[in-house]
Amino acid sequence: MKDIDAIAVLQDPVRRRLYEYVAAQGREVGRNEAAEAAGVARTLAAHHLDKLTEAGLLESGSRRLTGRSGPGAGRPAKVYTRSPAERSVSLPARDYRTAAELLAEAAEQAGLDAALCAAARRRGEALRGPGAGPCGSLGDAVEMLAARGYEPHVEDVDGVEDVDGVEESPGGAGAARVVRMRNCPFHAVAERFPPLVCGMNLALLEGLLGADGPVRARMDARPGECCVVVEDSKNNDR
């Protein structure tokens, strides 16, 4: 029942806004920043952030937000990040994770990687919808990925987050964007069977986005994020 109690903490609308903001940043967030984003007073934000931490939905620490050290740098401030722990509720109880892990183990032992990827690609095409063409732009890809729970965010090719979104920039080739994803919907199983599940994930997104359109999915694993990135097809011949 712990997961039910943790999820129930998000029933408060202010608490939920604070959690969603911290989770979306992919970095440490201070109390002042979180309060401003949620439109509440700092003391109220601090109360709710600590409640979220007590429930195990956030993790907290402390650091100097000024970026300075030594005398005059100020006291460390409390900061928050999303907890990596999964929370799920099923009433009545279901255990799809165990089934997924058993199927993944059997597929890996039987050498069914290619068959699994083919099935995943077909599923991605089906999710696109009958007669739907390839994804038309990175902006469309972001919407599709967000709807599937991947938590996409846009970076330039040097890894700097693009806070302005995916609008085309006049910078030409130097303005190339990639879409990275802070969440892997298959994280628990991917941790146990990374080559099998990451390959399946790539094939699924290839089917979802389409192989012949202006965007393409490719493997580019980075700690703490989904193993796949999506980018403009003209910028991925590297």
PDB file of all heavy atoms in Angstrom, residues 21 59 75 86 99 102 107 137 146 178 214 237-238:
ATOM      1  N   TYR A  21       6.793  20.049 -12.072  1.00  0.00           N
ATOM      2  CA  TYR A  21       7.837  20.998 -12.481  1.00  0.00           C
ATOM      3  C   TYR A  21       9.225  20.418 -12.208  1.00  0.00           C
ATOM      4  O   TYR A  21      10.097  20.434 -13.092  1.00  0.00           O
ATOM      5  CB  TYR A  21       7.686  22.334 -11.769  1.00  0.00           C
ATOM      6  CG  TYR A  21       8.760  23.312 -12.156  1.00  0.00           C
ATOM      7  CD1 TYR A  21       8.701  23.989 -13.367  1.00  0.00           C
ATOM      8  CD2 TYR A  21       9.870  23.529 -11.334  1.00  0.00           C
ATOM      9  CE1 TYR A  21       9.708  24.860 -13.756  1.00  0.00           C
ATOM     10  CE2 TYR A  21      10.881  24.399 -11.713  1.00  0.00           C
ATOM     11  CZ  TYR A  21      10.790  25.062 -12.916  1.00  0.00           C
ATOM     12  OH  TYR A  21      11.810  25.912 -13.297  1.00  0.00           O
ATOM     13  N   GLU A  59      13.756  13.468  -4.201  1.00  0.00           N
ATOM     14  CA  GLU A  59      14.931  13.354  -3.349  1.00  0.00           C
ATOM     15  C   GLU A  59      15.473  14.750  -3.108  1.00  0.00           C
ATOM     16  O   GLU A  59      15.366  15.622  -3.980  1.00  0.00           O
ATOM     17  CB  GLU A  59      16.001  12.487  -4.011  1.00  0.00           C
ATOM     18  CG  GLU A  59      15.581  11.028  -4.157  1.00  0.00           C
ATOM     19  CD  GLU A  59      16.670  10.161  -4.766  1.00  0.00           C
ATOM     20  OE1 GLU A  59      17.648  10.735  -5.303  1.00  0.00           O
ATOM     21  OE2 GLU A  59      16.549   8.934  -4.711  1.00  0.00           O
ATOM     22  N   ARG A  75      25.067  30.335   2.249  1.00  0.00           N
ATOM     23  CA  ARG A  75      24.787  29.010   2.780  1.00  0.00           C
ATOM     24  C   ARG A  75      24.231  28.103   1.687  1.00  0.00           C
ATOM     25  O   ARG A  75      23.560  28.569   0.769  1.00  0.00           O
ATOM     26  CB  ARG A  75      23.770  29.116   3.918  1.00  0.00           C
ATOM     27  CG  ARG A  75      24.273  29.878   5.125  1.00  0.00           C
ATOM     28  CD  ARG A  75      23.158  30.116   6.112  1.00  0.00           C
ATOM     29  NE  ARG A  75      22.533  28.860   6.532  1.00  0.00           N
ATOM     30  CZ  ARG A  75      21.417  28.805   7.269  1.00  0.00           C
ATOM     31  NH1 ARG A  75      20.802  29.936   7.609  1.00  0.00           N
ATOM     32  NH2 ARG A  75      20.926  27.628   7.617  1.00  0.00           N
ATOM     33  N   GLU A  86      10.114   3.715  -8.953  1.00  0.00           N
ATOM     34  CA  GLU A  86       8.833   3.615  -9.661  1.00  0.00           C
ATOM     35  C   GLU A  86       7.687   3.484  -8.666  1.00  0.00           C
ATOM     36  O   GLU A  86       7.818   2.841  -7.628  1.00  0.00           O
ATOM     37  CB  GLU A  86       8.823   2.404 -10.583  1.00  0.00           C
ATOM     38  CG  GLU A  86       9.676   2.548 -11.811  1.00  0.00           C
ATOM     39  CD  GLU A  86       9.502   1.369 -12.769  1.00  0.00           C
ATOM     40  OE1 GLU A  86       8.450   0.702 -12.699  1.00  0.00           O
ATOM     41  OE2 GLU A  86      10.421   1.123 -13.565  1.00  0.00           O
ATOM     42  N   ALA A  99       5.789 -10.905 -15.848  1.00  0.00           N
ATOM     43  CA  ALA A  99       5.502 -11.534 -17.142  1.00  0.00           C
ATOM     44  C   ALA A  99       6.421 -10.980 -18.224  1.00  0.00           C
ATOM     45  O   ALA A  99       6.956 -11.741 -19.050  1.00  0.00           O
ATOM     46  CB  ALA A  99       4.039 -11.301 -17.526  1.00  0.00           C
ATOM     47  N   LEU A 102       9.954 -12.414 -17.788  1.00  0.00           N
ATOM     48  CA  LEU A 102      10.026 -13.813 -18.203  1.00  0.00           C
ATOM     49  C   LEU A 102      10.022 -13.936 -19.727  1.00  0.00           C
ATOM     50  O   LEU A 102      10.791 -14.720 -20.309  1.00  0.00           O
ATOM     51  CB  LEU A 102       8.850 -14.593 -17.614  1.00  0.00           C
ATOM     52  CG  LEU A 102       8.914 -14.862 -16.099  1.00  0.00           C
ATOM     53  CD1 LEU A 102       7.587 -15.431 -15.616  1.00  0.00           C
ATOM     54  CD2 LEU A 102      10.058 -15.796 -15.755  1.00  0.00           C
ATOM     55  N   ALA A 107      12.953 -14.769 -24.769  1.00  0.00           N
ATOM     56  CA  ALA A 107      13.305 -14.251 -26.092  1.00  0.00           C
ATOM     57  C   ALA A 107      14.816 -14.133 -26.242  1.00  0.00           C
ATOM     58  O   ALA A 107      15.380 -14.459 -27.293  1.00  0.00           O
ATOM     59  CB  ALA A 107      12.640 -12.896 -26.319  1.00  0.00           C
ATOM     60  N   SER A 137       8.013  16.360 -38.466  1.00  0.00           N
ATOM     61  CA  SER A 137       8.988  17.313 -37.926  1.00  0.00           C
ATOM     62  C   SER A 137       9.371  16.904 -36.513  1.00  0.00           C
ATOM     63  O   SER A 137       8.717  16.050 -35.894  1.00  0.00           O
ATOM     64  CB  SER A 137       8.394  18.729 -37.891  1.00  0.00           C
ATOM     65  OG  SER A 137       7.346  18.806 -36.933  1.00  0.00           O
ATOM     66  N   ALA A 146       5.832  12.489 -26.124  1.00  0.00           N
ATOM     67  CA  ALA A 146       5.233  12.898 -24.850  1.00  0.00           C
ATOM     68  C   ALA A 146       3.974  12.085 -24.569  1.00  0.00           C
ATOM     69  O   ALA A 146       3.726  11.668 -23.428  1.00  0.00           O
ATOM     70  CB  ALA A 146       4.924  14.391 -24.869  1.00  0.00           C
ATOM     71  N   VAL A 178      18.383  17.721 -31.474  1.00  0.00           N
ATOM     72  CA  VAL A 178      18.058  16.324 -31.205  1.00  0.00           C
ATOM     73  C   VAL A 178      17.029  16.303 -30.091  1.00  0.00           C
ATOM     74  O   VAL A 178      16.991  17.189 -29.233  1.00  0.00           O
ATOM     75  CB  VAL A 178      19.300  15.489 -30.791  1.00  0.00           C
ATOM     76  CG1 VAL A 178      20.300  15.425 -31.923  1.00  0.00           C
ATOM     77  CG2 VAL A 178      19.944  16.037 -29.522  1.00  0.00           C
ATOM     78  N   PRO A 214      11.261  12.999 -42.431  1.00  0.00           N
ATOM     79  CA  PRO A 214      12.343  13.944 -42.139  1.00  0.00           C
ATOM     80  C   PRO A 214      13.006  13.760 -40.781  1.00  0.00           C
ATOM     81  O   PRO A 214      13.976  14.441 -40.473  1.00  0.00           O
ATOM     82  CB  PRO A 214      11.643  15.302 -42.214  1.00  0.00           C
ATOM     83  CG  PRO A 214      10.225  15.014 -41.876  1.00  0.00           C
ATOM     84  CD  PRO A 214       9.935  13.641 -42.422  1.00  0.00           C
ATOM     85  N   ASP A 237      23.912  11.737 -40.404  1.00  0.00           N
ATOM     86  CA  ASP A 237      24.893  10.943 -41.131  1.00  0.00           C
ATOM     87  C   ASP A 237      26.271  11.161 -40.535  1.00  0.00           C
ATOM     88  O   ASP A 237      27.167  11.687 -41.181  1.00  0.00           O
ATOM     89  CB  ASP A 237      24.878  11.320 -42.615  1.00  0.00           C
ATOM     90  CG  ASP A 237      23.560  10.976 -43.273  1.00  0.00           C
ATOM     91  OD1 ASP A 237      22.964   9.952 -42.881  1.00  0.00           O
ATOM     92  OD2 ASP A 237      23.136  11.723 -44.176  1.00  0.00           O
ATOM     93  N   ARG A 238      26.415  10.734 -39.262  1.00  0.00           N
ATOM     94  CA  ARG A 238      27.676  10.966 -38.562  1.00  0.00           C
ATOM     95  C   ARG A 238      28.273   9.635 -38.160  1.00  0.00           C
ATOM     96  O   ARG A 238      27.564   8.702 -37.894  1.00  0.00           O
ATOM     97  CB  ARG A 238      27.458  11.819 -37.306  1.00  0.00           C
ATOM     98  CG  ARG A 238      26.932  13.206 -37.605  1.00  0.00           C
ATOM     99  CD  ARG A 238      27.076  14.090 -36.375  1.00  0.00           C
ATOM    100  NE  ARG A 238      26.311  13.591 -35.251  1.00  0.00           N
ATOM    101  CZ  ARG A 238      25.046  13.912 -35.010  1.00  0.00           C
ATOM    102  NH1 ARG A 238      24.399  14.703 -35.821  1.00  0.00           N
ATOM    103  NH2 ARG A 238      24.388  13.426 -33.973  1.00  0.00           N
TER     104      ARG A 238
END
